[in-house]
Amino acid sequence: MGITTPSRATSTGAERAAAPKSFMKSLFNGHLEADMVFPYPRQEREARETLGLVLETFRAWARDHLDGAAIDRRGAFPEAEVKALRELGMFGMTIPEEYGGAGLPITSYCRLMEEICRHCAATATIVGAHLGIGSKGLLLYGTGEQKAKWLPAVARGELLCAYALTEPGSGSDAASLTARAVRDAARGVWVLSGTKRYITNGGHAGLFTVFARTAVDGEDRISAFVVTRDLPGVSTGKEEDKLGLKGSSTTDLNLDKVPVPDGNLLGEPGRGFKYAMEILNDGRVSLAAGAVGGAKEMIDRSVEFALERRQFGRPIAEFEMIRGKVAGMMTGTYAAESMVYLTTALAERDGVDYSIESALCKIFASENAWRVVNHAVQIAGGNGFIREYPYERYLRDCRINMIFEGTNEILRVFVTLAAVQRLGEELKKVGRALRDPIAQIGVLSDFALRKIRQAITDEQFPDIQPPLAKTAARAARYAEALSIAAERALRRHGKTIVEREFVQERLAEAAGDLFALVACLSRANTRVREEGAEAARRDIVLTRTFGNAAWRRIRRRLAQVEKNQDENLIRASDLAYSGRGFGPDLVG
Ligand SMILES: Cc1cc2nc3c(=O)[nH]c(=O)nc-3n(C[C@H](O)[C@H](O)[C@H](O)COP(=O)(O)OP(=O)(O)OC[C@H]3O[C@@H](n4cnc5c(N)ncnc54)[C@H](O)[C@@H]3O)c2cc1C
């Protein structure tokens, strides 16, 4: 049952209601939209049952046929496994039933990605590039005709999909891409040229979602196209030799004056960059789900090892330094899991902007997985470093999660700037007389600012149960602190906040911990309400333990927005830059 906490903000009105609701953007602005995240979402019975069947089928097959270690050793695209997954219908999981897919919602898809990742991250990457990002453009922006033409083969897995945004000169700064499509009206085609780099599934895909510059009403704008491999001028480069994900295909995509038929333009011309970013919203949350799956697998293996391995006459599991690691692995993964499925539920609702939540899931879950696997390697001792054991493969495989689908640095920039932009917009409404509110934010009266941001209290969390009362109080207090810190930062830096990455990083990190804390709180509280404190013991312990560490991290980061040693960090990095490296050796 959803309990609505009415927003107390005076600036909410018809204008705000028209914008898609965003839990985190509102929180940054001092509004706790508790009804968006309480109670913790649960799939409808039918969806749960379908997912149960899909998981059962997958597990039964994977147990005997999906050997991640063997795929890693072979270092080649796992043809046989992909064929089997095709036959199991895995490549059509999220494609609507009318096109021959299973039409699973994103929550179910993410749950399955977790499961695939437990076995083999390379295989999960193949499926993720196909469904999460490669075919997503067609699904979201394709016309009925385009969908009918390609989606049935996509759903059968016969037409493997890829997403082609990155170029040699354009990675994080994706909007600077240079691939170009020039309309040739006489031939009814767009002539597309350029090189795309590091394209997952590149060597095996039949359909690429490609982003290229185009002239739209005299303006230079990015558009999106479906490019099929059979078109003349399409070729792919050599397979990259990677640190991990050895079984996945990563190649260049070369486009040499490719005549892309008019009918392959996706959506409206000139809106390609927006589409590219929207597609990644779903991609990021499913990537985070995969990272949760990998982390769970490592926890299972580490715990088993720690209980078996004896040193000093007892299992190493008993030593406090091992317990500390296991506790961190458990709480971080519980938090990441809670964030992911809260976000997929938001994604399944109409009129919700979950772009910040999805970016936070990706940052948090990828960094949690890295810590978890690192601990797993340590707990395994020497075995952790030996290829015969799984740990080093998981370590190599999970490293990329912090780099692709938007590096974690870029996502931190995105989180803060997207959130304070909404704050800037609200300030604009309040300070009607001001023409340029962000630049002149310092002159806004306190009265106006108070109207925008109202105090957040734990009473705004609905029906908090006694074992979680303290955690809820902390969450409310630091939600309030985040909005105050964001507002101060915006007042202080105005438009130049876009250059203040130390500030952006701290606010984004605090926001990540806060969203994680709220997700855990909602999950645990819902369980206590529905099943009682005894049944919810695991949730209570993990939420409280995570919460105790999280609020301290949030407090520290927010304090550092004001008091920090940023000048020293600039000086120390300048030393490296001016000396072109570390500089003089101490000895010799
Ligand atoms: C295995 C693999 C698979 C991939 N699959 C795909 C795919 O299917 N499709 C696709 O389009 N791309 C894909 N990519 C590309 C990937 O998304 C990019 O590598 C990534 O976005 C980073 O771009 P870059 O490599 O050019 O690094 P750069 O953008 O050059 O960044 C280098 C470093 O600088 C940092 N940096 C850059 N700008 C800033 C800033 N403003 N503030 C702070 N730090 C900054 C980055 O965070 C990073 O640490 C894949 C890459 C790999 C390795």
Side-chain angles (χ1 to χ4, degrees):
M1 182 185 71
I3 296 174
T4 307
T5 304
S7 172
R8 297 186 299 144
T10 49
S11 62
T12 55
E15 288 161 306
R16 233 162 73 82
K21 285 171 71 156
S22 160
F23 176 73
M24 284 309 292
K25 284 182 186 172
S26 294
L27 204 64
F28 260 94
N29 295 356
H31 309 287
L32 178 67
E33 310 250 17
D35 61 320
M36 292 185 80
V37 293
F38 274 73
Y40 195 79
R42 190 179 159 97
Q43 278 195 305
E44 297 289 329
R45 190 159 153 200
E46 201 186 323
R48 279 206 314 274
E49 285 173 1
T50 310
L51 174 62
L53 288 175
V54 173
L55 286 174
E56 210 175 289
T57 311
F58 174 78
R59 283 193 192 117
W61 170 77
R63 219 174 3 250
D64 299 325
H65 300 100
L66 188 58
D67 183 344
I71 290 173
D72 180 65
R73 272 195 304 276
R74 291 203 305 265
F77 193 78
E79 300 278 5
E81 290 83 351
V82 165
K83 182 167 177 280
L85 282 171
R86 214 179 268 147
E87 283 157 11
L88 286 173
M90 295 293 161
F91 285 97
M93 280 182 301
T94 54
I95 308 291
E97 286 172 286
E98 58 181 308
Y99 302 108
L104 295 188
I106 186 166
T107 299
S108 307
Y109 168 62
C110 283
R111 183 62 192 83
L112 194 57
M113 285 303 282
E114 252 195 64
E115 206 63 26
I116 305 177
C117 242
R118 269 184 174 251
H119 292 266
C120 176
T123 303
T125 303
I126 295 167
V127 176
H130 173 75
L131 284 177
I133 51 177
S135 57
K136 200 78 191 187
L138 190 52
L139 215 57
L140 292 177
Y141 316 109
T143 60
E145 204 178 319
Q146 288 172 328
K147 289 179 185 174
K149 183 171 178 187
W150 290 300
L151 282 182
V154 169
R156 290 194 298 273
E158 288 164 12
L159 197 56
L160 193 65
C161 297
Y163 171 93
L165 178 67
T166 306
E167 297 181 357
S170 150
S172 298
D173 183 9
S176 69
L177 63 86
T178 59
R180 184 166 287 281
V182 180
R183 180 92 206 291
D184 182 339
R187 292 162 68 202
V189 298
W190 294 80
V191 180
L192 177 47
S193 292
T195 301
K196 296 291 176 180
R197 176 130 306 166
Y198 300 150
I199 304 309
T200 300
N201 288 345
H204 299 261
L207 185 152
F208 300 86
T209 302
V210 177
F211 301 90
R213 312 203 84 81
T214 48
V216 180
D217 300 329
E219 274 184 55
D220 186 43
R221 308 266 300 273
I222 293 169
S223 297
F225 297 90
V226 169
V227 175
T228 47
R229 189 181 280 275
D230 56 354
L231 290 172
V234 174
S235 63
T236 48
K238 66 168 176 52
E239 285 292 345
E240 300 293 350
D241 186 6
K242 307 187 292 286
L243 173 72
L245 301 184
K246 296 279 192 185
S248 77
S249 164
T250 311
T251 70
D252 274 4
L253 167 67
N254 304 308
L255 303 157
D256 182 14
K257 300 195 193 85
V258 181
V260 182
D262 281 350
N264 289 28
L265 177 75
L266 267 184
E268 290 175 41
R271 291 175 70 80
F273 191 69
K274 182 172 178 286
Y275 298 162
M277 298 301 112
E278 282 174 357
I279 291 169
L280 290 175
N281 279 342
D282 281 0
R284 284 179 191 136
V285 72
S286 55
L287 186 156
V292 168
K296 285 183 182 175
E297 183 66 21
M298 281 291 95
I299 294 174
D300 292 356
R301 306 258 188 148
S302 297
V303 168
E304 201 177 317
F305 180 84
L307 290 170
E308 292 297 318
R309 175 72 176 167
R310 296 176 73 85
Q311 289 292 285
F312 303 99
R314 43 192 169 137
I316 61 166
E318 289 181 13
F319 299 118
E320 288 187 357
M321 283 193 226
I322 300 294
R323 280 186 180 278
K325 291 184 197 6
V326 171
M329 292 156 88
M330 287 287 284
T331 50
T333 304
Y334 178 85
E337 183 187 49
S338 306
M339 293 165 89
V340 165
Y341 294 104
L342 185 56
T343 302
T344 60
L346 290 174
E348 285 169 17
R349 282 166 59 170
D350 286 334
V352 172
D353 167 1
Y354 58 96
S355 55
I356 293 196
E357 289 77 4
S358 147
L360 290 175
C361 285
K362 195 271 197 181
I363 299 170
F364 190 99
S366 63
E367 293 177 7
N368 174 66
W370 178 245
R371 273 192 304 274
V372 166
V373 183
N374 192 33
H375 281 331
V377 167
Q378 193 68 16
I379 291 171
N383 290 0
F385 202 67
I386 303 296
R387 285 200 83 174
E388 187 185 336
Y389 301 94
Y391 312 100
E392 62 85 34
R393 170 167 61 90
Y394 281 81
L395 189 83
R396 286 186 286 108
D397 282 349
C398 82
R399 185 60 184 84
I400 188 63
N401 288 333
M402 295 186 276
I403 297 174
F404 63 11
E405 299 204 18
T407 67
N408 287 9
E409 286 81 10
I410 290 303
L411 292 181
R412 285 183 163 95
V413 170
F414 165 73
V415 163
T416 299
L417 293 187
V420 299
Q421 187 187 14
R422 172 81 68 96
L423 179 56
E425 282 163 10
E426 296 213 1
L427 288 169
K428 196 173 183 176
K429 284 172 205 156
V430 175
R432 281 185 215 98
L434 295 175
R435 288 197 181 285
D436 192 356
I438 296 181
Q440 300 185 50
I441 211 156
V443 304
L444 273 178
S445 70
D446 281 347
F447 168 73
L449 287 171
R450 269 202 309 277
K451 284 182 85 173
I452 297 159
R453 200 188 53 69
Q454 304 257 319
I456 294 174
T457 69
D458 53 349
E459 284 156 26
Q460 292 168 46
F461 288 119
D463 200 12
I464 288 293
Q465 301 297 299
L468 295 159
K470 265 192 181 170
T471 310
R474 298 284 191 202
R477 180 165 166 196
Y478 288 100
E480 168 81 356
L482 173 69
S483 72
I484 291 172
E487 183 188 297
R488 281 208 189 121
L490 197 51
R491 269 183 196 246
R492 178 157 171 206
H493 299 291
K495 272 182 177 166
T496 65
I497 195 165
V498 297
E499 298 294 331
R500 301 278 70 82
E501 286 201 3
F502 289 133
V503 173
Q504 294 165 20
E505 184 177 32
R506 289 172 190 131
L507 291 176
E509 283 177 2
D513 262 332
L514 198 58
F515 182 49
L517 181 50
V518 168
C520 293
L521 182 64
S522 167
R523 177 176 171 181
N525 198 63
T526 302
R527 187 96 194 263
V528 177
R529 275 182 53 205
E530 288 175 357
E531 298 172 44
E534 192 46 43
R537 202 178 143 266
R538 177 176 184 269
D539 301 87
I540 295 170
V541 169
L542 294 177
T543 295
R544 281 180 174 171
T545 313
F546 174 77
N548 279 331
W551 71 255
R552 287 183 170 84
R553 281 194 300 267
I554 298 170
R555 185 175 63 180
R556 192 172 60 244
R557 282 171 190 141
L558 294 181
Q560 285 171 347
V561 172
E562 299 287 326
K563 281 192 177 166
N564 52 59
Q565 63 151 341
D566 293 352
E567 291 306 317
N568 278 339
L569 301 183
I570 298 286
R571 282 186 203 110
S573 55
D574 272 344
L575 279 178
Y577 297 157
S578 60
R580 309 294 295 178
F582 181 70
D585 293 330
L586 178 62
V587 181

